[in-house]
Amino acid sequence: MSAVLALATAVALALVAALHVYWAAGGKWPGTDDESLARTVVGGPPGMRAPGPAACLAVALVLAVAV
């Protein structure tokens, strides 16, 4: 049972890391632009911009190390 939980956790962390790499490369999903991406993912106020590529890659690296 613990092996299944460990595998599920590793897969979830890897998927979230991959999503951050996608955002660092310029991806906008689940938004359509920087503002809608920030509003959708973070819940920020109107006019808020999404973090830059360096911040996204830093988060992806931390998540990948956690896997």
Side-chain angles (χ1 to χ4, degrees):
M1 179 65 174
S2 63
V4 172
L5 183 58
L7 179 62
T9 302
V11 168
L13 287 171
L15 289 173
V16 175
L19 184 58
H20 280 80
V21 171
Y22 166 76
W23 287 333
K28 303 297 181 211
W29 180 85
T32 56
D33 57 17
D34 280 346
E35 185 179 339
S36 67
L37 176 63
R39 257 195 338 263
T40 303
V41 175
V42 181
M48 181 179 180
R49 297 190 53 109
C56 291
L57 287 175
V59 172
L61 178 64
V62 169
L63 289 166
V65 168
V67 171

